[in-house]
Amino acid sequence: MLRRFFFLLFLLSSLAARAQEIPTYYELPHRRIHPVQNPMRHRWYLGLEGFLRSDQGVLTSSLGGLITSQPSVTKASWSALVGYSYRDRWNVEAGYARAPIHNQLTLVIAPQPYDFTFKNESHAAIIRLKAKLFSTTQPKEKAGFWLTGGAWLVPNSGKYVDGFIMEGYRFSRFHTDTISLLSQTHTAMQITPLLELGVEYNVRLSNRLEMGFYGRKLWGFRPSIYTDLTYSENNVQTQTSKLTGNGTGWSFGLALRYTYSFKRTMANVYALKGRY
């Protein structure tokens, strides 16, 4: 029994000596990815925006003070976008916006005016380019101001939107005149292009979430919605006017973006430390 015990002890000692001869391999260093040491190379994100948008209409004639047009119409809108960011300095994004262009007409009749609001099909395609101006925090990619510029394409179907006819009488000492106002609103037949220029302030909430606040100015280059007005006396047309909306105006809103794919620059990832 004692002989077996010493034999087993000798065998275990031999195995321990052999294990010490096996070389020790390097181990990868465990470190936390730091945004300054490992800046973003590129990323893809999804964005959802909610904003208030005001657009202006242009009225050619008030028909002798019978009608007026509001300086602008402000309504809530939204957009959904897909974007690509290169080194968190240049972004490009494109998507869809549900942002109608309006015509708002006021019929001035005592004792109370009547308002009529019309809108186009409300669809638009957007493409936008962004450039980072400067950062406001450390690390630099956490928050900062961006300059944005883009283009909108608003498809129009040329469909009839709405209309009305108002009739009344004008009394004088010797006779009575029948007066009428005919209004017909339709959308354009061609695509309406718009250009935009804006400023954003973006804040990184986490590695994948970002929030932005922005203001943008838009310029429309072709009307998207028309309102034709005809004024008649005793069934004889005497005056005409036209109210057009091309989307020129302002938008102010909030954006939430989710990064679903990204890649960071891993500096010195193979500069491993260990011992022989």
Side-chain angles (χ1 to χ4, degrees):
M1 181 72 180
L2 187 61
R3 231 188 283 179
R4 291 181 182 176
F5 174 78
F6 279 110
F7 175 77
L8 182 60
L9 184 61
F10 175 78
L11 182 61
L12 291 175
S13 300
S14 302
L15 291 175
R18 287 182 125 186
Q20 290 179 358
E21 296 176 1
I22 300 176
T24 301
Y25 291 97
Y26 293 119
E27 294 183 359
L28 288 173
H30 298 283
R31 63 176 182 173
R32 186 177 180 181
I33 295 178
H34 196 277
V36 175
Q37 300 173 356
N38 306 98
M40 190 74 69
R41 181 177 296 178
H42 62 77
R43 62 188 178 94
W44 291 90
Y45 61 86
L46 299 174
L48 186 63
E49 298 182 348
F51 54 94
L52 291 176
R53 182 171 179 273
S54 64
D55 56 275
Q56 305 166 1
V58 178
L59 182 66
T60 59
S61 172
S62 65
L63 300 180
L66 182 62
I67 57 173
T68 61
S69 176
Q70 296 294 328
S72 64
V73 181
T74 302
K75 299 290 184 179
S77 304
W78 60 271
S79 63
L81 305 158
V82 177
Y84 171 78
S85 177
Y86 177 71
R87 297 189 179 274
D88 271 330
R89 296 178 183 175
W90 297 93
N91 291 6
V92 60
E93 58 188 27
Y96 166 81
R98 180 74 174 178
I101 297 175
H102 298 85
N103 271 352
Q104 182 162 317
L105 183 70
T106 301
L107 185 60
V108 184
I109 299 178
Q112 182 178 354
Y114 291 92
D115 293 328
F116 300 90
T117 302
F118 312 103
K119 64 181 181 179
N120 69 344
E121 288 88 348
S122 307
H123 307 298
I126 305 173
I127 185 169
R128 184 177 294 129
L129 181 66
K130 303 180 180 181
K132 194 168 190 178
L133 294 175
F134 57 88
S135 299
T136 58
T137 58
Q138 290 294 339
K140 292 184 178 181
E141 66 176 16
K142 185 173 177 61
F145 282 94
W146 294 68
L147 180 67
T148 73
W152 293 45
L153 293 178
V154 179
N156 301 300
S157 64
K159 73 174 185 178
Y160 177 77
V161 177
D162 204 351
F164 65 86
I165 182 169
M166 303 290 293
E167 291 186 341
Y169 300 95
R170 184 173 59 194
F171 300 97
S172 64
R173 184 175 179 180
F174 300 104
H175 56 83
T176 300
D177 295 322
T178 302
I179 60 175
S180 64
L181 178 66
L182 174 65
S183 170
Q184 292 183 314
T185 302
H186 60 277
T187 58
M189 295 292 293
Q190 297 177 315
I191 291 176
T192 298
L194 293 90
L195 292 181
E196 69 165 39
L197 185 64
V199 176
E200 291 187 12
Y201 182 71
N202 295 325
V203 180
R204 185 69 57 82
L205 303 178
S206 67
N207 204 33
R208 292 187 180 272
L209 282 179
E210 178 183 273
M211 182 176 290
F213 308 88
Y214 62 83
R216 297 173 184 144
K217 172 66 175 177
L218 294 99
W219 295 271
F221 291 92
R222 184 182 295 143
S224 176
I225 185 169
Y226 300 88
T227 298
D228 295 306
L229 299 123
T230 303
Y231 177 76
S232 301
E233 293 184 6
N234 299 321
N235 296 323
V236 178
Q237 176 180 321
T238 60
Q239 297 183 66
T240 61
S241 182
K242 185 183 289 289
L243 176 62
T244 59
N246 60 8
T248 297
W250 291 87
S251 68
F252 298 92
L254 173 68
L256 186 64
R257 304 181 183 97
Y258 172 75
T259 299
Y260 64 89
S261 175
F262 67 89
K263 185 175 183 180
R264 290 185 178 272
T265 301
M266 302 295 292
N268 299 323
V269 68
Y270 293 110
L272 309 177
K273 293 183 180 180
R275 50 184 188 135
Y276 292 99

